[in-house]
Amino acid sequence: MNWQNATSKAIIHLHVNGETQEVVVRNADTLLSTLREKLGLTGAKRSCENGDCGACTVLINGEPSHSCLSLAVEVVNLPITTIEGLLDSPVRTAFIDKWAIQCGFCTPGFIVNGHALLTNHPNAKEEIVEEWLQSNICRCTGYQEIKDAVNSLIVENDDSINKTHPRLSK
Amino acid sequence: MISFDFMYFQPSSITETIDMYNGVHEQGEKAMYISGGTEFITFARTNKVYADVIIDSKGIPECNVLEMRNDDVVIGAAVSLNKITNSNLFPFLGATVKQIADHTSRNKITIGGNINSELIYKESVLPLLLVDARVKVVKGTDVRVVSLKSLFDRKMKLSPGELLLQIIIDSSYIELPYISLKRTKFSKVGYPVVSVAAILKENQLRVAFSGVCDYPFRSDEIEAILNDSTIPIVDRIDKVLGNLPSSIVDDLQGSREYRSFVLKNVLLDVMEEMEMGE
Ligand SMILES: Cc1cc2nc3c(=O)[nH]c(=O)nc-3n(C[C@H](O)[C@H](O)[C@H](O)COP(=O)(O)OP(=O)(O)OC[C@H]3O[C@@H](n4cnc5c(N)ncnc54)[C@H](O)[C@@H]3O)c2cc1C
Ligand code: FES
Ligand code: FES
């Protein structure tokens, strides 16, 4: 690897939503800005850019990840799924059914995270749901409906869950 | 947006990584290692850090190890906090790092990045200081294994170009009783107002703190006070407050008075849970 001939830009291949896309990036570009500004995938939202809000969540290798906290060059060769790749996700439908949307800004991040949660833990207990959903903030504070939407898809749903506010419970 | 440009490499061996760092350094440019890269990205966006070349250690196999090797738990510096918790190899560390940041961030934040963080918290250091963890570091052709304690004084004291490869923990610590308590300002996710980890070895309590002073610490004096069963627990805790290694942090997360109030209560919980009565 000869660093002296390298530059601060790169032509990379990103595997997004099952398709391989060639894109020219600055090494300094985050995955979030690359998705939004280079690939036209604006579902992941830009908000805090600090890992605090979850509005930019995408799946990297199946795991929820803040796309504002990855460089695009870090994730070449890894499968990336954005909200645009989850049109068939039952979580999306559950959000509509349970009225889990107000202004909608946080919704893509919550759906992507909720999709990964239910894929990894179809029988998730309340503790796991809480832990995962705490990664996302809803400024419209629709936490209860969001939790209802996720819980409605949990196999063997238990009525005792879903009683507390995901971000403010101790 | 990160305003400055840099070169980015993800070498696949230790030799390649070190050679690259040295080559960049010899040209008078600034190279920087990253593991998860989250601190680099957030600091770079706000111009708190600069580098000409970023060397990503995620591609080095030694930095991705997470296994039991003979009588040791070996954890690569580039292993994410969630992988450590999910592996259940060392539950005390798993429980402590599970309290850092939020679940999504913990998929990216690594133990090497947390230990070497420029922030004051570095909560994963707490259990590691208590279990006499060792670290494997490399500089040039020199690979050495030393106690974490010898390299950690308020922060990691790695020399320029030195790379943390692995954390090594003696498995005899795995079964010991432990507790890890974190208190934040108002939600479960957040930097600690107070974070305390404790383990009981041979009836002696070992305790480490984050969020109290502006660096994480373990202190012999404080442990001697907490283990002195001739004094009532509340008096021991009062005495601890007078023997902290530096002044209590006073900032927007919590005033000095609030932090000391929370610390007292957390220590009471620790003493009760670990059955450290008179
Ligand atoms: C949303 C969020 C919440 C957070 N909450 C907490 C919290 O509650 N408690 C807490 O303790 N921290 C918290 N942090 C801070 C976080 O743990 C640190 O910023 C940590 O450094 C991030 O790890 P990383 O692997 O991404 O670091 P990186 O950005 O990769 O690196 C961080 C630093 O470590 C150095 N470094 C990395 N790897 C190595 C290596 N192998 N050898 C030598 N040096 C190395 C880098 O040069 C850099 O200086 C939070 C961070 C975020 C984004
Ligand atoms: S924009 Fe990425 S976490 Fe807020
Ligand atoms: S619906 Fe508005 S931020 Fe969540």
Side-chain angles (χ1 to χ4, degrees), chain A residues 20-31:
Chain A
T20 300
Q21 310 264 11
E22 187 175 87
V23 54
V24 181
V25 292
R26 291 168 66 225
N27 294 330
D29 286 340
T30 60
L31 175 61

Side-chain angles (χ1 to χ4, degrees), chain A residues 51, chain B residues 33 35-40 101 110 113-114 116 122-123 164 182 190:
Chain B
Y33 297 129
S35 293
T38 66
E39 184 166 300
F40 166 68
T110 64
N114 184 264
N116 286 291
K122 307 177 195 45
E123 286 177 83
L164 174 66
K182 172 169 176 170

